[in-house]
Amino acid sequence: MSERISAVETIDVRFPTSRHRDGSDAMNPFPDYSAAYVILRSTGGAEGHGLVFTVGRGTDLQVAAVQALASMVIGQRVDELVADPGALARRLVGDSQIRWLGPEKGVVHMAAGGLVNAVWDLAARRADKPLWKLLADLTPEQLVAQVDFRYLRDALTEDEALALLRAAEDGRAERERQLRAEGYPAYTTTPGWLGYDDEKLARLCQEAVEAGYRLIKLKVGGNLADDVRRMGIARRAVGPDVRIAVDANQIWGVPEAISWMRELAAFDPYWIEEPTSPDDVLGHAAVRKALAPVRVATGEHVHNAVMFKQLLQADAVDVVQIDACRVAGVNENLAILLLAAKFGVPVCPHAGGVGLCELVQHLAMFDFVALSGSTDDRAIEYVDHLHEHFTDPARVSGGRYLAPAAPGMSAQILPASLAEYRFPDGPEWAGTPLMAGAPTA
């Protein structure tokens, strides 16, 4: 009998990062880094692992959304799933009744992504390759077949996508050798959380430069005077040659974004990230026009490829920030990478939250080897939190991500960590008087 998916297990796992304000920003002052963690199990004993990143309360809703889609995966033949994850992605995203709850956005779309990513993890394990290598080894025709072009053809056609991938075929082997030898550029947000005091900010900025980072990121948007002071501390700590990006996490309206950033211009900010609502395409275009040459970056809350298409068509973004868990998985992120390549805009993935560094590194590395062929003005975000809970944690050395070598998408969390941080009955949470995500200090 053929091997089939026998079960989909989904676990609510939460880490109490709010206790020390790790991850704090203007919009999310007390996040608890969390995930709806997905395990696909097969009749042959194989597993595929995925997750949907969240920040505390509401993770139970994300778990429920995954379970609402699980029936479309259970019983499916494993060989068919891993041969064409795109077919599953289209089924999950296109289910007429579940789709009504999006469409193609929010918890149901992210749930589809968790399942799709778990299938890709399973596929990479069966191929005995890390996901970036599995993707880079696919032919242009195979990659294009994984993308749903229905809403994209006014900006990117199948033929244009094929041409981009074929143009990158020369030099693939050398770029793969370079990736394995040198890694991929990283930037760090570890120094810049809004809840850190000035001493900690200065110390972590200095440590970041000593560790080899050439780009750091600070959270802004809480208080203008504080931001001016903190930017001055950071600039003095890193010197004039290290780039400082800033991230407002959507806290401003368009006029406020422009006026606030003009006050910070003296510190030479490299980009302003999420200056306003992630859905406001024209607002981002207005901010970009007003603040040039400061770049505009966005993407971690952009909910599907159509929104990225519009941001690029409207000249509203200088830096595309894909997220491994916001859209419907690897397939939709392939579409976004192709769109960015078509428009000539660099991709600097969003990461940091639990599992995001582990997952998204594979997409950026695939892009370098098989699509863009470049790391110029590109870097993957890195935050030094919670990697110890993964069987194949992201590794950074000298300010560069080291290419994963283990098969899969690096998504598997250690069983002991799942048991300890399972919500609400894990030992870390049992008996706590506070709801997840509430201030604890």
Side-chain angles (χ1 to χ4, degrees):
M1 294 179 64
S2 61
E3 184 180 14
R4 296 180 182 271
I5 299 297
S6 57
V8 175
E9 183 179 359
T10 314
I11 302 169
D12 184 335
V13 57
R14 309 187 192 187
F15 298 91
T17 51
S18 64
R19 294 175 185 174
H20 301 288
R21 300 203 69 183
D22 298 334
S24 55
D25 58 57
M27 188 65 79
N28 307 284
F30 293 98
D32 282 324
Y33 280 177
S34 308
Y37 183 67
V38 180
I39 307 173
L40 304 183
R41 303 189 189 277
S42 82
T43 54
E47 294 181 358
H49 297 258
L51 58 87
V52 185
F53 173 66
T54 59
V55 291
R57 290 189 299 275
T59 307
D60 50 334
L61 302 179
Q62 193 62 72
V63 167
V66 173
Q67 287 300 315
L69 293 170
S71 63
M72 284 184 267
V73 182
I74 295 172
Q76 296 298 307
R77 290 179 51 168
V78 171
D79 57 352
E80 293 179 356
L81 282 178
V82 301
D84 185 12
L88 173 66
R90 287 186 286 273
R91 288 200 303 274
L92 295 174
V93 171
D95 179 85
S96 63
Q97 294 186 3
I98 297 293
R99 185 180 186 276
W100 186 267
L101 302 177
E104 299 185 31
K105 62 178 70 69
V107 294
V108 293
H109 204 54
M110 294 164 71
L115 289 164
V116 169
N117 285 346
V119 168
W120 279 103
D121 179 71
L122 176 59
R125 289 167 182 267
R126 281 171 66 95
D128 197 31
K129 297 177 181 180
L131 179 67
W132 68 264
K133 173 63 171 169
L134 175 68
L135 292 171
D137 284 348
L138 295 178
T139 67
E141 291 77 11
Q142 288 173 317
L143 288 164
V144 168
Q146 290 301 305
V147 174
D148 184 352
F149 285 88
R150 173 171 45 174
Y151 299 137
L152 306 180
R153 291 188 183 99
D154 56 321
L156 177 73
T157 67
E158 288 92 334
D159 287 344
E160 288 173 320
L162 280 170
L164 288 166
L165 290 161
R166 287 170 180 162
E169 286 185 300
D170 288 344
R172 269 195 189 190
E174 173 56 26
R175 291 192 296 273
E176 181 178 330
R177 185 207 62 76
Q178 181 182 342
L179 175 66
R180 291 183 186 275
E182 302 175 10
Y184 192 102
Y187 78 89
T188 181
T189 309
T190 296
W193 301 119
L194 205 59
Y196 288 175
D197 62 34
D198 291 355
E199 183 280 328
K200 189 171 186 179
L201 168 64
R203 174 174 55 83
L204 292 176
C205 285
Q206 292 168 350
E207 291 176 359
V209 175
E210 292 167 0
Y213 293 100
R214 306 305 296 167
L215 170 63
I216 67 168
K217 188 167 78 182
L218 268 59
K219 301 293 184 172
V220 297
N223 176 278
L224 180 55
D226 288 344
D227 284 351
V228 170
R229 185 188 74 256
R230 294 172 67 252
M231 284 289 286
I233 292 169
R235 179 52 74 196
R236 289 190 293 274
V238 304
D241 299 326
V242 172
R243 291 170 171 173
I244 301 177
V246 295
D247 184 358
N249 291 96
Q250 316 159 38
I251 197 68
W252 300 320
V254 171
E256 189 178 13
I258 294 169
S259 62
W260 199 298
M261 283 303 300
R262 283 175 174 163
E263 295 296 318
L264 301 182
F267 302 102
D268 191 25
Y270 182 59
W271 76 53
I272 172 58
E273 181 174 332
E274 288 199 313
T276 191
S277 165
D279 297 342
D280 190 352
V281 173
L282 298 182
H284 277 81
V287 171
R288 180 174 183 260
K289 182 178 180 180
L291 295 181
V294 176
R295 294 161 175 81
V296 169
T298 196
E300 70 180 90
H301 284 86
V302 175
H303 43 248
N304 56 44
V306 174
M307 290 295 298
F308 279 101
K309 177 189 76 170
Q310 293 179 76
L311 285 162
L312 291 163
Q313 288 173 318
D315 292 326
V317 62
D318 299 284
V319 180
V320 165
Q321 295 177 302
I322 59 171
D323 183 284
C325 297
R326 175 63 57 180
V327 300
V330 169
N331 300 74
E332 192 164 18
N333 268 313
L334 289 175
I336 297 162
L337 289 169
L338 285 163
L339 283 165
K342 162 72 182 295
F343 283 85
V345 175
V347 176
C348 293
H350 168 253
V354 61
L356 295 184
C357 295
E358 279 70 21
L359 271 61
V360 85
Q361 62 182 332
H362 290 273
L363 300 174
M365 292 174 186
F366 153 78
D367 176 68
F368 169 59
V369 172
L371 180 54
S372 71
S374 175
T375 59
D376 292 345
D377 292 330
R378 290 166 166 82
I380 307 168
E381 185 173 19
Y382 182 73
V383 175
D384 191 17
H385 301 309
L386 307 177
H387 303 292
E388 68 273 15
H389 298 291
F390 288 82
T391 61
D392 183 28
R395 298 173 299 147
V396 170
S397 178
R400 300 179 75 87
Y401 272 81
L402 305 182
M409 198 178 180
S410 308
Q412 185 174 1
I413 296 179
L414 293 166
S417 296
L418 291 174
E420 179 74 14
Y421 294 95
R422 184 180 184 123
F423 187 87
D425 55 343
E428 186 65 33
W429 295 108
T432 180
L434 294 172
M435 295 177 65
T440 58

